Amino acid sequence: MRNTRQRRQQILQLLVEHGNVQVSELVGRFGVSAVTIRADLTHIESQGLATRTHGGATLVRTPPQEQDIHEKDALNLPVKDSIGTHAAGLVKAGDNIIIDSGSTTMTLARHLRGHRDVTVMTNGLNIAWELANAPGVELLLTGGLLRKQSLSLQGSQAEASLNTYSFDTLFLGVDGLDLQFGLTTHHEAEASLNHRMVERARRIVVLTDASKFGRVSLHRIARLDQVHTVITDASIDAEYLEGLQRLGIEVIIAQAPA
């Protein structure tokens, strides 16, 4: 699985650099069969990033570059804090919730420190750190392999840890939200774990600033018809506000302090 993930990331990078790729060239470069390369290109096409052509593929849109979690922490802080405040307002005593790793979801964790009788499971070391001394929060970690760039735990152990739980709400951060392709992220293992989180929660709440709308990263997490609520900021484009509402998704606009 790791080799597949790395190869697809490299193929995508070649697409970004050259605009198109050929199956025959990729077979020689990676030493795998044409069938394997075609499957890779079909996967990339399914994410809306490329179009298959005779003998290869052409880039449709350039995925955004992934940023280190510390770089993300420094971006749009007032907006993210306001989103976290609104998200915390949805959490009630007695709730069992999952908080995905991320810089926006971390602001939610900060605003939960005064809550009482809440159980939180997370795959984020940054989330766990924020809640480690919260007296009213029972904290569970998924376990798994640490991805240092995002401070997130992932992999088969992390996914298996969710199997015996049922949660009221998942608070999910994303790298991209597109009306056609849904919720996406840069990393395949994170997408797989996020998808499992979606399956284990009765309510899905996406926390994202408006800069993520219209972006498509390589790996899909979920379709938009699986989402119940999106909390974002006032910069949301009218097309996305109306599109989400047409899908029956509640949109909460978090106003950053002046």
Side-chain angles (χ1 to χ4, degrees):
M1 180 62 74
R2 178 176 294 181
N3 289 338
T4 298
R5 179 169 64 246
Q6 292 174 344
R7 187 179 61 251
R8 288 174 177 175
Q9 292 284 4
Q10 291 173 31
I11 291 172
L12 182 59
Q13 185 60 42
L14 290 170
L15 273 165
V16 171
E17 291 174 2
H18 303 291
N20 60 78
V21 294
Q22 296 297 311
V23 170
S24 58
E25 294 175 359
L26 297 177
V27 167
R29 176 185 287 265
F30 294 104
V32 296
S33 69
V35 171
T36 297
I37 293 298
R38 290 190 188 100
D40 292 338
L41 296 178
T42 297
H43 176 80
I44 294 172
E45 182 182 45
S46 73
Q47 305 309 305
L49 300 171
T51 299
R52 290 293 309 278
T53 60
H54 180 68
T58 299
L59 186 71
V60 172
R61 66 171 87 187
T62 302
Q65 293 296 310
E66 183 177 14
Q67 294 173 304
D68 181 273
I69 185 66
H70 302 295
E71 295 174 326
K72 290 181 178 180
D73 285 346
L75 298 174
N76 301 326
L77 283 177
V79 168
K80 290 178 180 178
D81 189 67
S82 183
I83 291 172
T85 299
H86 281 74
L90 301 180
V91 180
K92 309 302 180 187
D95 280 356
N96 303 306
I97 67 175
I98 316 179
I99 303 179
D100 176 37
S101 63
S103 59
T104 305
T105 51
M106 185 171 66
T107 66
L108 161 61
R110 289 181 184 142
H111 290 288
L112 287 178
R113 288 189 294 212
H115 278 53
R116 293 290 182 268
D117 190 24
V118 175
T119 299
V120 175
M121 176 173 269
T122 185
N123 67 317
L125 292 191
N126 56 343
I127 306 298
W129 179 257
E130 291 291 339
L131 295 172
N133 295 318
V137 177
E138 183 175 0
L139 183 62
L140 303 170
L141 287 171
T142 61
L145 178 68
L146 176 65
R147 184 168 185 251
K148 295 179 181 179
Q149 186 167 0
S150 59
L151 293 181
S152 60
L153 298 166
Q154 54 193 228
S156 58
Q157 182 181 346
E159 293 183 29
S161 69
L162 299 175
N163 290 342
T164 58
Y165 293 97
S166 177
F167 296 92
D168 298 303
T169 305
L170 163 63
F171 292 95
L172 179 66
V174 297
D175 292 315
L177 188 159
D178 184 87
L179 291 175
Q180 181 177 359
F181 299 107
L183 310 176
T184 57
T185 189
H186 290 93
H187 200 261
E188 186 172 11
E190 285 191 10
S192 180
L193 177 60
N194 290 162
H195 182 77
R196 184 66 62 89
M197 290 177 173
V198 169
E199 294 177 335
R200 303 310 302 171
R202 288 184 288 276
R203 183 184 185 188
I204 313 304
V205 179
V206 174
L207 310 184
T208 179
D209 63 80
S211 69
K212 304 294 179 59
F213 294 121
R215 292 187 180 181
V216 177
S217 294
L218 181 57
H219 302 288
R220 178 181 281 144
I221 298 169
R223 306 181 311 273
L224 283 181
D225 62 10
Q226 296 173 277
V227 175
H228 299 88
T229 302
V230 171
I231 306 179
T232 188
D233 62 88
S235 299
I236 182 173
D237 187 86
E239 173 192 359
Y240 273 84
L241 176 59
E242 295 166 4
L244 292 171
Q245 292 174 335
R246 271 198 309 272
L247 292 170
I249 298 171
E250 176 189 25
V251 180
I252 298 175
I253 305 297
Q255 298 289 343

